[in-house]
Amino acid sequence: METKPLIFINKGNEDKISCHSHDPYTNKIISRLEKSKNKVHLSDIQEDIISGPMGFQLHTTDYVSQDYPNRVWLLQILNLGKFGELLRTKYDKFIPPEKDDELSKSKVKIGDIIIAKTGAIDRSILIKENIQANLNQALGIIRLKSEYQGIKINPDFIYEFLNSEYGTSQLMRLGGYRAGQSGLSLEEIGSMLIIL
């Protein structure tokens, strides 16, 4: 054991192991997707995948009260409802407009799919109306192209696909129930197979 460690996984993936990686049901779903002639990777149809600000960019001292003038809603995982609804809670956080401008890359726009990158990674919502909001570090934005190889990209369909068993199985396989907290990188999100 000292000269040749015992390894049960592909070398290089040690930190990414999930109990769903070898689940027969999940592997069957992935196999179906891989065989489809209409499959693409999410990275093929995305304009951008954006992470919420990192810890060094946003501190608790940046938060302002709910009655602060022109405050901007800072979305958290608890704002993503189980059924795709955007939830207001008594735990909502807000930032001043100056901080929102500083974090302009993660400002929320109509058509964005907001996805949880840590914890409840099977949660996402589609932004259908104009709201003044930004993200915390546990969330990401999937911003889609308007078309791919002559096919119009419909954000509603992509959102529904991500929330179907085909999407959630991939999310759980990529980052669910690891040794620590569930989590996804932007690259893992982009590697998901989508059917057009």
Side-chain angles (χ1 to χ4, degrees):
M1 291 288 286
E2 289 179 15
T3 58
K4 188 171 182 183
L6 189 59
I7 297 177
F8 295 103
I9 58 175
N10 294 333
K11 195 158 174 65
N13 291 329
E14 296 88 358
D15 63 332
K16 301 297 182 189
I17 192 159
S18 161
C19 66
H20 295 279
S21 296
H22 304 289
D23 175 59
Y25 180 74
T26 300
N27 288 335
K28 186 176 179 181
I29 286 176
I30 303 298
S31 177
R32 283 187 203 157
L33 289 169
E34 288 172 341
K35 290 176 184 172
S36 173
K37 63 181 179 177
N38 299 317
K39 72 177 181 297
V40 296
H41 286 99
L42 184 58
S43 61
D44 296 330
I45 62 170
Q46 76 188 32
E47 183 179 298
D48 207 355
I49 294 185
I50 302 159
S51 180
M54 297 294 114
F56 64 89
Q57 296 172 298
L58 184 65
H59 306 285
T60 54
T61 54
D62 294 317
Y63 300 161
V64 295
S65 66
Q66 187 170 354
D67 58 353
Y68 190 90
N70 301 315
R71 90 259 185 268
V72 175
W73 191 12
L74 187 67
L75 299 180
Q76 309 166 79
I77 290 175
L78 59 91
N79 297 119
L80 307 184
K82 290 182 182 180
F83 304 105
E85 69 277 22
L86 189 57
L87 303 174
R88 296 259 183 196
T89 76
K90 65 181 180 180
Y91 303 106
D92 285 350
K93 301 210 176 350
F94 302 93
I95 55 174
E98 305 80 42
K99 191 65 177 179
D100 183 51
D101 288 340
E102 187 183 316
L103 304 172
S104 61
K105 188 170 181 176
S106 56
K107 283 184 179 186
V108 174
K109 299 178 183 177
I110 293 175
D112 285 351
I113 297 172
I114 309 299
I115 188 167
K117 298 184 316 169
T118 61
I121 60 174
D122 59 344
R123 297 243 179 124
S124 63
I125 61 165
L126 175 62
I127 301 297
K128 294 188 176 190
E129 58 188 52
N130 195 12
I131 60 170
Q132 284 289 106
N134 211 307
L135 309 179
N136 76 0
Q137 71 278 2
L139 301 176
I141 296 173
I142 300 170
R143 216 164 260 159
L144 300 168
K145 295 177 181 177
S146 57
E147 69 172 56
Y148 173 76
Q149 296 184 350
I151 300 170
K152 187 176 183 317
I153 305 299
N154 181 333
D156 286 295
F157 174 78
I158 302 304
Y159 162 75
E160 292 294 340
F161 186 89
L162 290 173
N163 285 290
S164 73
E165 67 179 339
Y166 292 98
T168 56
S169 291
Q170 291 182 80
L171 290 168
M172 295 308 288
R173 181 183 193 199
L174 290 167
Y177 306 120
R178 293 181 177 158
Q181 183 180 30
S182 301
L184 296 165
S185 69
L186 299 182
E187 293 77 25
E188 287 171 324
I189 295 168
S191 73
M192 291 181 64
L193 292 171
I194 306 288
I195 302 299
L196 289 184

